[in-house]
Amino acid sequence: MINLHNFRKFDLNVIPIFLATYKHSSIKKAAQELDTSPSNVTQSINKLRKHFNDPLFVRVGQGIEPTVFCAQLHSALLASFSDLYGSVFSEDAREEIVIYSPDAPMLDFINKYSEAPDTDSLPKITHISAVVDANMATELFSFRKADIIITHEKMFSPGVISHKLYKMRGFIAYSSQHPQKAALTDLKNNTQVLLETPWVTINNNSHSYFQSIRKNNPVIADIIKHRKKVVFESNVHNLNLFFIEKNNAIGFISEILYENMSESSRQKISLLPGPELEIDIYINYRSSEANLLKVIDIFKGALK
């Protein structure tokens, strides 16, 4: 049973300060995020040091690093504080649902949304285009910056529900007027051409993206590993395609994106018949709020 008298004596305001300090490994950056002074952050950390009889953070070079106990404390507080935050600031009153996702799964969602019943009752949906790994997703959920996150790997984090949606198919795309079209489409002998031709790629730092490729497509993974040159990268898929069309480069395009292109745009881009790309797509969320679950069902194609 909780001892409310002891709990009353504990200053709960130090918890978000502790979490921000751990997140940034910096007193100054924690103060900036929370709009407070570095001295206030230091005072709060000192309170926790005294309470737990542990230094929590030790100086290493120009920064600070957590102790073993600090890392364990962070893991325990992260889930508990997130649940407390959700209870205090009711999600039922939220006016938007924030989704972090690559573009292609969102195109699939939009198609399903157009066929789903009673979408007028849903709040505004805000999409942030990003390739997110599990560590970044955990941080986004912890600070309530996202309601739904699409990843290329299953999450194993307290309070996070993670489901595999599907494997997303993709192809190597090139300009229909590419001067080496014959060599590219010679599937028995085109490996060297694929390695030497300039590449366009998605701008991301997610190891899970490449892990998914290695798991599902070892041939493609080997080409990516040994290709000679990447000349352009962007999170914006249409810019990547425009670059491919105009500069005789090659790159990946998802089947979902290709299916949603206009006929005139498709005529400018050709797809190699092989090797195909497959990438795992997972949906991750924490809340069981009704509107959020309805959006998740749309992602799953459960509402018709």
Side-chain angles (χ1 to χ4, degrees):
M1 184 175 181
I2 297 175
N3 187 323
L4 296 178
H5 179 70
N6 284 344
F7 200 65
R8 184 174 180 273
K9 292 188 296 182
F10 186 85
D11 184 4
L12 291 176
N13 291 313
V14 303
I15 296 179
I17 293 175
F18 168 76
L19 294 175
T21 304
Y22 189 97
K23 170 186 174 183
H24 295 291
S25 294
S26 167
I27 298 291
K28 182 178 179 181
K29 290 181 180 179
Q32 290 173 343
E33 177 173 345
L34 299 175
D35 195 23
T36 188
S37 66
S39 62
N40 185 41
V41 173
T42 300
Q43 290 172 11
S44 296
I45 296 301
N46 285 337
K47 287 181 181 180
L48 285 173
R49 284 170 171 157
K50 183 177 179 180
H51 180 83
F52 292 108
N53 191 28
D54 187 272
L56 298 180
F57 299 96
V58 294
R59 185 158 295 281
V60 177
Q62 298 298 314
I64 57 175
E65 289 187 359
T67 64
V68 172
F69 174 82
C70 179
Q72 294 171 342
L73 178 65
H74 174 264
S75 179
L77 285 178
L78 198 60
S80 300
F81 188 72
S82 296
D83 290 339
L84 175 63
Y85 186 98
S87 298
V88 173
F89 301 96
S90 173
E91 296 184 7
D92 291 334
R94 292 193 59 171
E95 296 181 354
E96 67 174 343
I97 292 175
V98 179
I99 302 172
Y100 277 70
S101 169
D103 291 351
M106 285 305 298
L107 281 172
D108 182 61
F109 169 80
I110 291 169
N111 287 332
K112 293 172 180 174
Y113 184 96
S114 67
E115 300 175 355
D118 195 30
T119 53
D120 290 343
S121 64
L122 292 175
K124 181 183 76 172
I125 292 174
T126 298
H127 169 234
I128 298 173
S129 181
V131 180
V132 179
D133 62 20
N135 289 333
M136 182 180 175
T138 299
E139 187 172 289
L140 289 169
F141 280 135
S142 299
F143 289 90
R144 298 287 169 173
K145 293 181 179 179
D147 299 292
I148 296 171
I149 301 176
I150 303 299
T151 62
H152 297 301
E153 61 185 326
K154 185 176 179 64
M155 287 189 65
F156 298 94
S157 182
V160 175
I161 302 169
S162 184
H163 295 298
K164 187 172 182 176
L165 286 176
Y166 45 74
K167 285 184 184 291
M168 185 175 68
R169 297 176 67 220
F171 304 89
I172 295 176
Y174 61 97
S175 168
S176 297
Q177 305 302 319
H178 199 290
Q180 291 184 287
K181 183 175 182 179
L184 285 170
T185 54
D186 181 4
L187 299 183
K188 293 183 178 180
N189 304 292
N190 68 350
T191 301
Q192 196 61 34
V193 180
L194 292 176
L195 293 174
E196 294 179 353
T197 302
W199 276 77
V200 171
T201 187
I202 297 171
N203 180 14
N204 74 83
N205 296 313
S206 172
H207 295 297
S208 62
Y209 177 81
F210 296 104
Q211 288 171 352
S212 182
I213 292 175
R214 283 195 293 268
K215 181 178 73 174
N216 295 310
N217 308 84
V219 174
I220 290 289
D222 192 60
I223 291 173
I224 291 174
K225 182 179 179 181
H226 295 100
R227 61 190 173 187
K228 301 293 177 62
K229 189 176 183 180
V230 174
V231 292
F232 185 78
E233 63 178 24
S234 172
N235 277 337
V236 182
H237 288 72
N238 286 336
L239 283 180
N240 286 341
L241 288 174
F242 188 69
F243 194 97
I244 288 171
E245 175 195 339
K246 295 294 183 180
N247 293 278
N248 294 322
I250 59 176
F252 292 115
I253 178 175
S254 70
E255 183 179 42
I256 295 171
L257 181 61
Y258 185 75
E259 288 176 345
N260 283 274
M261 292 170 61
S262 66
E263 187 61 34
S264 60
S265 296
R266 287 189 198 176
Q267 291 176 357
K268 299 174 184 177
I269 297 293
S270 296
L271 307 180
L272 285 186
E276 294 181 7
L277 176 71
E278 285 189 332
I279 303 176
D280 297 324
I281 301 294
Y282 288 86
I283 188 168
N284 310 279
Y285 56 98
R286 292 180 62 100
S287 172
S288 59
E289 188 266 322
N291 276 337
L292 188 66
L293 292 179
K294 184 171 182 179
V295 171
I296 290 163
D297 281 341
I298 293 174
F299 266 105
K300 294 178 179 178
L303 297 179
K304 292 291 184 180

